[in-house]
Amino acid sequence: MPMTVTLVLLTANNDAPALLQILAAHGRDLELRHVVDLPGLRALLPTLGPKARLLSYLSSVIVPADCLTAFGLGAYNIHPGSPAYPGVAPEAWAAYEHAAAFGVTLHVMEPVVDSGTIIDAEVLPVPGPKARPTMAQAARQALPMLLLRQAGPLSREEPLVPVKKLAWGDTRRTVSDYERMCRFSADISREEMERRLLSFGPPGPVQFTVEFHGRTFTLETPGGIMGHLDPPQPDRVLGWVCDTATKAGPLEVKLTVDGQEFLLRAGEHRPDVAAAGFGDGYSGFTWEAPTHFRDGRPHRVEAVCKGQPLPGSPRLATFARMETSQG
């Protein structure tokens, strides 16, 4: 009887349950485990057998070398960007460089971030404006394609084989590189400023600053409102919003879908917002699409807080059709 393969999924992403279902459907002798952070991963290591594999999925955790060597079947990462954009915030750099295509990459994990052998990638053309949300949406569309193609190999004992020879881009961006692009000098041109705002702004929290006569000034959106309407999911819409001017508690968001209004309280915890220093992070909101919107057709979604539209709004959302029972 073959020994069971243990596949450890490292992610704090909301897509984890769906991903676990996909992997379970492809693995015959497969044990799935799920951890969200490095302490959880370390606690799991003593329980692993020789046939263990790690899959890091859209995780910000940098897995150290001693953890990587604990996985006899290797450690792999799904990088939320094309091979051309290794490192931090790949969608931001792709937007800044007006990339014609963008996607996601599956690669071997090494102690140096985004340096291991590339196993596979899914890269899609990006039509329309070359803004950060557009690139993020392209990556989200590419993810299920890559996962469905590699779920079988990830679930089996055999080594993963590169589907073709792919190479990382020459420049691996760091957090310092990203922060540098969010600092504006007093002589920055209007064109360059607009380009950076579109490329390094939402999705995700970010603070832009201007350096003038030896002083640093923080740029705020009108009324101090900061936030983002995230790319829609198959059955819901997510986002976050906070007031940087008053540091007030949870705000109210008016979400309008095809003219129908919904009032939402932005009080859910967003770890990414908290990590960026915008309050305690309890500024997220979720709207689950009612049945009559689950028709597979595009719907116009707009989010407004204190009279200000959130970045990323409006956008078109297509929600998956509801399954109907026969009988």
Side-chain angles (χ1 to χ4, degrees):
M1 182 176 179
M3 184 180 295
T4 300
V5 171
T6 301
L7 181 59
V8 178
L9 176 65
L10 171 61
T11 185
N13 192 274
N14 292 332
D15 294 339
L19 178 56
L20 289 168
Q21 287 184 345
I22 293 174
L23 294 169
H26 285 79
R28 186 173 302 174
D29 297 302
L30 180 67
E31 178 188 15
L32 287 168
R33 302 195 189 181
H34 177 211
V35 294
V36 299
D37 53 22
L38 185 56
L41 181 62
R42 285 196 178 279
L44 195 63
L45 296 184
T47 70
L48 297 177
K51 295 186 178 181
R53 174 174 287 143
L54 175 66
L55 175 61
S56 176
Y57 174 76
L58 305 186
S59 174
S60 60
V61 175
I62 298 178
V63 182
D66 66 299
C67 292
L68 295 178
T69 56
F71 292 90
L73 299 184
Y76 300 87
N77 178 55
I78 294 181
H79 172 67
S82 309
Y85 296 97
V88 173
E91 76 288 345
W93 296 100
Y96 184 74
E97 295 180 356
H98 295 163
F102 194 68
V104 291
T105 306
L106 174 67
H107 65 93
V108 176
M109 294 184 74
E110 300 286 356
V112 177
V113 174
D114 297 344
S115 65
T117 301
I118 296 175
I119 301 299
D120 198 0
E122 184 68 38
V123 180
L124 303 176
V126 180
K130 308 304 181 186
R132 187 175 184 182
T134 313
M135 297 297 171
Q137 180 65 13
R140 178 169 287 277
Q141 292 173 344
L143 266 171
M145 301 179 190
L146 178 66
L147 287 173
L148 288 173
R149 189 163 60 242
Q150 291 294 334
L154 283 166
S155 305
R156 295 192 289 268
E157 181 180 347
E158 294 78 18
L160 272 67
V161 179
V163 296
K164 55 185 175 180
K165 191 171 184 179
L166 296 170
W168 290 108
D170 295 332
T171 305
R172 183 177 294 105
R173 268 75 180 218
T174 65
V175 172
S176 295
D177 294 327
Y178 181 88
E179 292 176 344
R180 174 173 51 82
M181 299 302 284
C182 296
R183 294 193 297 267
F184 302 157
S185 61
D187 60 351
I188 188 172
S189 69
R190 178 172 182 175
E191 292 75 17
E192 176 65 11
M193 184 179 72
E194 292 294 338
R195 183 178 176 186
R196 292 197 196 182
L197 290 172
L198 284 173
S199 303
F200 296 94
V206 64
Q207 193 79 72
F208 291 101
T209 59
V210 177
E211 297 175 357
F212 190 69
H213 293 323
R215 297 176 181 269
T216 300
F217 299 86
T218 300
L219 295 181
E220 292 185 344
T221 54
I225 298 299
M226 294 194 69
H228 191 258
L229 181 64
D230 298 339
Q233 298 188 11
D235 62 346
R236 66 192 63 196
V237 170
L238 306 175
W240 68 274
V241 64
C242 64
D243 191 333
T244 61
T246 64
K247 312 296 182 184
L251 300 175
E252 188 174 79
V253 175
K254 182 174 74 173
L255 194 76
T256 305
V257 185
D258 290 348
Q260 186 175 348
E261 295 182 357
F262 302 86
L263 294 179
L264 308 174
R265 181 177 180 271
E268 299 175 6
H269 189 243
R270 285 284 297 252
D272 55 338
V273 177
F278 296 112
D280 57 8
Y282 286 91
S283 52
F285 61 87
T286 301
W287 177 79
E288 296 188 5
T291 304
H292 61 282
F293 288 113
R294 299 284 301 276
D295 55 7
R297 298 177 180 177
H299 301 277
R300 188 180 189 276
V301 180
E302 182 179 9
V304 174
C305 182
K306 290 189 174 182
Q308 299 291 337
L310 297 188
S313 169
R315 64 167 73 245
L316 290 178
T318 301
F319 304 109
R321 293 181 181 274
M322 296 286 290
E323 296 291 337
T324 57
S325 58
Q326 302 292 329

